[in-house]
Amino acid sequence: MDAAERAAEESDEWSGVAPDAARRLVSAAVQAFAERGYHATTTRDIAGRAGMSPAALYIHYKTKEELLYRISGIGHEKALQIMGAAAEARGSATDRLRDAVRAFARWHAEHHTTARVIQYELQALSADHYAEIAGLRRRTDRLLRQIIEDGAESGEFRVADIPGTTLAVLSLCVDVARWFSAEGPRTPDEVGALYADLVLRMVGGAS
C-alpha cells in the first residue's frame, strides 16, 4: 500500500470524526500508539504527527486517554456492525458464520494498524471507558455465539463447547492485526476467505 492509498484508507476510516483537526489527531494517535505503544507516546508526539501544536490538541481532546477511547469506540462499533450484519442476515448458520468470519478477519487485515491499537491497548483506558468498550465486545461475542448456537441446533455444526469455540474464533480473527502486513503474501480478502474456511472446519461444518 503506497502513501496515497494509506491516506485514502485513513480518511475513510475516520470520516465520522469532525472537525478536520480532530480527525487528523485521531489518525496521528493511531500511528503513534501502534509504533510506540500507548504509554511511550506523548501528546507532543501526536500533535507533531498531525502538524499541530500540543496546545491545539487539547482543544479537541482533554487527554491522551480520551483519544484512545475515541479510537477504541469507533473500532469496536465497526466490529459490532460487521458481526451484526452477518448474524441478522437470512440464510443458514453456515452462510452466516462464513460471512461473519470473512468480514471480521478482513477488517482486521485492512485496518491492521487501528486494530492493533484497539485490541492491545485496552488496559490503558480509564475504568469507565474500559467498561463501555468491554460492553461492545460482549455484544459482538453474543452475536457470534448465537450464529454458532444456531448451527449446533440445526445440526450444521458439531460443537461441544460453544462459549470456548466462540472465544477461539474471535481470537483467531483478532490476531490477524498482530501479524498482517500490507507487503505480505496475502491480501485482506484472501485472509478473510482463508479464515472463513478454517473456522467452518473448526466447527465441523461444510466449507
Side-chain angles (χ1 to χ4, degrees):
M1 180 183 296
D2 61 25
E5 290 174 322
R6 187 176 295 107
E9 178 183 297
E10 290 173 357
S11 176
D12 176 66
E13 188 172 11
W14 309 117
S15 59
V17 180
D20 177 68
R23 184 164 54 251
R24 284 160 48 203
L25 286 166
V26 165
S27 180
V30 167
Q31 296 299 324
F33 293 156
E35 289 178 18
R36 299 170 59 86
Y38 174 83
H39 293 292
T41 298
T42 66
T43 53
R44 186 175 295 276
D45 293 332
I46 296 168
R49 287 171 183 261
M52 301 165 64
S53 70
L57 182 150
Y58 295 111
I59 296 173
H60 303 283
Y61 300 99
K62 296 177 182 178
T63 64
K64 183 176 68 169
E65 190 272 343
E66 188 176 321
L67 264 168
L68 178 62
Y69 167 63
R70 183 79 166 110
I71 292 162
S72 296
I74 292 171
H76 282 89
E77 286 284 3
K78 182 61 178 178
L80 182 61
Q81 177 185 335
I82 289 169
M83 198 63 70
E88 295 163 12
R90 294 182 179 178
S92 66
T94 297
D95 290 339
R96 286 182 285 137
L97 184 60
R98 180 188 293 111
D99 290 347
V101 172
R102 182 166 51 211
F104 201 60
R106 183 175 59 215
W107 186 86
H108 280 80
E110 286 175 337
H111 302 280
H112 54 278
T113 303
T114 299
R116 280 200 303 275
V117 172
I118 69 170
Q119 298 294 351
Y120 299 115
E121 298 288 357
L122 277 177
Q123 298 303 321
L125 291 171
S126 69
D128 287 346
H129 287 165
Y130 180 88
E132 183 177 332
I133 299 303
L136 294 174
R137 292 168 74 90
R138 286 192 296 271
R139 289 169 63 190
T140 301
D141 178 290
R142 285 196 296 269
L143 287 167
L144 178 61
R145 184 182 302 190
Q146 186 60 59
I147 297 173
I148 296 174
E149 286 178 349
D150 289 347
E153 290 175 3
S154 69
E156 294 172 65
F157 305 153
R158 296 187 297 278
V159 181
D161 182 346
I162 291 175
T165 301
T166 302
L167 178 60
V169 173
L170 289 172
S171 298
L172 188 69
C173 294
V174 164
D175 194 56
V176 170
R178 180 185 57 79
W179 60 260
F180 185 82
S181 169
E183 287 73 41
R186 289 189 174 91
T187 67
D189 282 340
E190 289 170 340
V191 171
L194 171 64
Y195 275 45
D197 181 64
L198 290 173
V199 167
L200 286 174
R201 291 172 185 272
M202 181 190 300
V203 299
S207 60

